[in-house]
Amino acid sequence: MPSNKSVSDAPIIQFTNCRILRSHRLQREDLWVREGKILNPEKLFFDEKGSADIQLDCKDSIIAPGFIDVQINGGFGVDFSLATDDFKSGIDLVSQKILSHGVTSFCPTLVTSPPSVYHQVLPQISIRNGGAHGAGILGAHLEGPFISKEKKGAHPEHCLRTFEAGAFQDLLATYGSLDCVRIVTLAPEMKRSSEVIRELTKRGICVSLGHSVANLSQAEEAVQHGATFITHLFNAMLPFHHRDPGIVGLLTSDKIPAGRRVFYGMISDGIHTNPAALRIAHRAHPKGLVLVTDAIAGMGLAPGRHTLGQQVVEIDGLNTYIAGTKTLSGSVATMDTCVRHFQEATGCSVETALEAASLHAAQLLGIEHKKGTLNYDSDADFLMLNDGLYVQATYIAGEEVWRQDELGM
């Protein structure tokens, strides 16, 4: 047998009998992995004269990139917006548990909180690779407090802030540090937001528009200054109006700078967005749709009372409300459920549904060379799914980190 020693001593794993999502379509090919990366088999055969050390029969499974959740507030009793002494063990628990939902990377999300919470929590969030310990952390998503009072949703009004003179310094003082921050959601109609958007973008932080009463021209101006994302489209923004479609109008705007794509998050849980609205958004701008869970601490727990930052929320079935109101407050949907609901509601292809939970989020964050695809040399973070899009196994860096119990299938 030819030696694999020419480049690396690491074992080469060949996943056979599968359909791989590559170049936007499911292809009958094998997947080759070594040292946590996806290998080009041609280079392996012809340049290294190598072959597989281990072959795994995937039994006709779909192999797709691991899901990336850029908006998740917590789950399994853990609330990322609560400053606790054991915050690190909480984030570890969530990152471990979401492996079973196909999530291999995520952005822990903090809702509007007092500065003291940001100062305590953010130093405890570190960007890290995923593995057997859990999904990788891509950086924090800070949703607020620089948002609109009129569209605060489940965010506590007493913690909301506006930009004062020296707006960016004000933001820095509020958060304490931007070291591990990946996304900031703000309302673009706020005075001085343009300079903040420019400064955040300059630092490689993604600016998202949300919890806002912005009109379309204010939203377009924000995009021209560098904003690239919309936080949970349709929720917590002005409803679409034909004379001024507001932030929703960005999906078909002709004022987006050349070469720039605006992405938008959607909570595809059957609660936050009517299936017809989901279909409208998808048909208007399919390549920008990013599935997010917006999951709260109550995800994975029984109905009842739970927290979302400073607020108490009640879970009733799949509905989550601020206690005593009918104001929606995040979701208890899991990412794999959102993928299945999206595919069913829109009638889109399996490939499209899977890419909305992987590729598009990677493109939004500028990491599509490493995550969100199964291209050669990218990270071997992937899922095995059956035809119903139920996750059968989750792999990070080519290692199996979760598998469905056969009895539970």
Side-chain angles (χ1 to χ4, degrees):
M1 178 174 167
S3 165
N4 295 326
K5 307 294 183 214
S6 54
V7 170
S8 166
D9 289 338
I12 295 167
I13 307 169
Q14 177 188 7
F15 294 83
T16 66
N17 188 16
C18 51
R19 290 158 291 156
I20 301 176
L21 176 56
R22 188 174 277 153
S23 304
H24 315 298
R25 62 192 182 90
L26 289 176
Q27 310 193 26
R28 253 199 199 283
E29 291 176 28
D30 292 352
L31 186 75
W32 299 74
V33 174
R34 177 173 60 196
E35 291 188 316
K37 301 283 182 190
I38 292 169
L39 278 185
N40 179 344
E42 285 197 7
K43 280 190 180 171
L44 175 67
F45 301 151
F46 297 116
D47 298 354
E48 297 183 42
K49 307 287 190 283
S51 60
D53 296 292
I54 303 162
Q55 282 189 324
L56 291 174
D57 182 347
C58 301
K59 299 177 179 161
D60 205 35
S61 296
I62 292 169
I63 291 191
F67 299 150
I68 300 170
D69 194 352
V70 298
Q71 187 176 9
I72 171 171
N73 310 290
F76 316 100
V78 176
D79 185 341
F80 297 146
S81 303
L82 286 184
T84 57
D85 294 338
D86 60 349
F87 182 86
K88 279 193 168 141
S89 61
I91 210 165
D92 288 349
L93 176 75
V94 174
S95 64
Q96 173 71 61
K97 292 270 200 181
I98 57 180
L99 295 174
S100 66
H101 304 138
V103 178
T104 54
S105 304
F106 71 110
C107 294
T109 304
L110 278 73
V111 295
T112 295
S113 303
S116 60
V117 169
Y118 298 115
H119 294 191
Q120 278 178 273
V121 169
L122 289 179
Q124 298 187 71
I125 296 176
S126 47
I127 293 167
R128 68 182 188 207
N129 292 325
H133 59 272
I137 297 173
L138 300 170
H141 177 170
L142 305 182
E143 189 186 356
F146 302 99
I147 58 173
S148 156
K149 193 163 68 173
E150 291 82 4
K151 292 292 176 186
K152 66 183 186 298
H155 292 237
E157 189 169 327
H158 70 278
C159 295
L160 299 182
R161 298 174 72 94
T162 52
F163 293 120
E164 305 306 323
F168 187 69
Q169 290 310 312
D170 188 36
L171 175 139
L172 270 179
T174 301
Y175 294 147
S177 164
L178 292 172
D179 288 350
C180 66
V181 175
R182 203 57 187 263
I183 304 173
V184 171
T185 293
L186 53 77
E189 70 276 12
M190 295 180 98
K191 280 186 184 151
R192 307 185 184 90
S193 66
S194 294
E195 60 183 277
V196 171
I197 293 169
R198 280 197 301 270
E199 286 295 330
L200 287 170
T201 305
K202 211 187 285 178
R203 287 163 171 74
I205 294 168
C206 163
V207 175
S208 189
L209 311 180
H211 288 278
S212 161
V213 292
N215 59 33
L216 179 56
S217 64
Q218 288 167 324
E220 287 170 334
E221 189 185 340
V223 171
Q224 283 150 15
H225 288 298
T228 52
F229 195 38
I230 303 169
T231 296
H232 45 51
L233 186 77
F234 297 125
N235 293 110
M237 59 188 61
L238 291 177
F240 178 89
H241 188 280
H242 57 286
R243 278 196 290 278
D244 191 338
I247 290 177
V248 177
L250 287 175
L251 270 61
T252 56
S253 169
D254 58 1
K255 305 247 178 357
I256 308 297
R260 177 91 55 78
R261 187 188 304 177
V262 173
F263 293 89
Y264 59 96
M266 301 241 22
I267 309 166
S268 168
D269 62 352
I271 306 284
H272 279 77
T273 312
N274 185 285
L278 195 54
R279 287 191 286 274
I280 286 170
H282 177 245
R283 289 175 193 176
H285 184 26
K287 287 189 163 56
L289 193 151
V290 176
L291 292 177
V292 298
T293 60
D294 198 20
I296 63 169
M299 174 179 72
L301 301 182
R305 290 197 160 211
H306 301 282
T307 64
L308 177 59
Q310 310 296 302
Q311 311 269 42
V312 176
V313 299
E314 286 177 337
I315 298 177
D316 176 13
L318 282 177
N319 293 291
T320 59
Y321 302 114
I322 292 183
T325 75
K326 286 295 174 192
T327 300
L328 285 173
S329 55
S331 85
V332 287
T334 59
M335 184 58 94
D336 53 328
T337 307
C338 290
V339 170
R340 290 190 295 271
H341 179 263
F342 171 58
Q343 205 233 336
E344 193 181 328
T346 62
C348 71
S349 67
V350 163
E351 292 94 331
T352 298
L354 293 169
E355 287 187 343
S358 54
L359 173 65
H360 296 173
Q363 290 170 328
L364 164 72
L365 297 175
I367 56 173
E368 68 271 28
H369 59 292
K370 291 190 300 187
K371 310 272 187 201
T373 77
L374 298 178
N375 293 345
Y376 303 139
D377 299 323
S378 60
D379 294 349
D381 297 355
F382 59 89
L383 313 174
M384 283 186 198
L385 306 110
N386 64 18
D387 286 350
L389 299 186
Y390 286 86
V391 181
Q392 297 171 310
T394 303
Y395 286 77
I396 292 182
E399 301 278 333
E400 184 182 291
V401 292
W402 180 84
R403 176 166 287 278
Q404 172 70 54
D405 178 358
E406 294 300 325
L407 297 172
M409 287 299 280

